[in-house]
Amino acid sequence: MTTTASTTNLPIAETFASIQGEGKLTGVPSWFIRVAGCNLRCTWCDTPYTSWSPQGASRTVDDLVEEALTSGLKHAVLTGGEPMLFPAIAPLAERLSAAGMHTTMETAGTVDQDLRVDLMSLSPKLSNSTPSQRQDGKFAAEHEARRINTPVLQELLRRGEDVQLKFVVQYPSDLREIEALLKTLHDWNPGDVLLMPQGYQGEPSEALRKLLVSACLSHGWRYCDRLHIRLFGNTRGT
Ligand code: SF4
């Protein structure tokens, strides 16, 4: 894991313009800033170049703000990796917002920084993410200990202008985990909860899609697709 206490620089894996593919703002043209570095190692991570093998270059907040504004886009998405690991994410979010960009923070909600954004997008990781079968399971215990931090999740829910809770679902038992976690949290509405079928190894099965549809219908939750994969394939920079 790459970490830095810098308040002026961030390790950046990539920046790019694309269409937001997940969540409440699906379809919105956006400028993405993706940090390199994560405190988790999800077994199905779709950006392993930010987690299992972080690759990136140090860039300044000044540089990132200028580039984002030059894009001409109105929405900025701070993602990773785990952006909240890096103190410089707070001034970056603040300056993008002050410049008039709508700002989304994509975080697993395990660590906090003192910042406010327009959309706090939380993706708490369920037990299906634990890498028990990868690299002889040597990261499994650490991942398991870190993946849910209820006080941080609650604080971020409280602070977001708008919030969403995105869950990657793989097994029927995941739904019980979601229900149990949601019972410990407040400051959310059913329409803030989005279920995304686990799709790391290709299209989710029909049975999994039906499971999610049924759960959404019975709880008032939302089904979350991955529009960017449909539009561009599973490629970097999209
Ligand atoms: S939290 Fe996100 S970036 Fe980190 S390992 Fe999990 S899926 Fe990958």
Side-chain angles (χ1 to χ4, degrees), residues 38 40-42 44-47 50-51 80-81 108 125:
C38 189
L40 299 180
R41 281 187 174 81
C42 299
W44 38 251
C45 181
D46 58 357
T47 55
T50 71
S51 55
K125 297 303 182 283

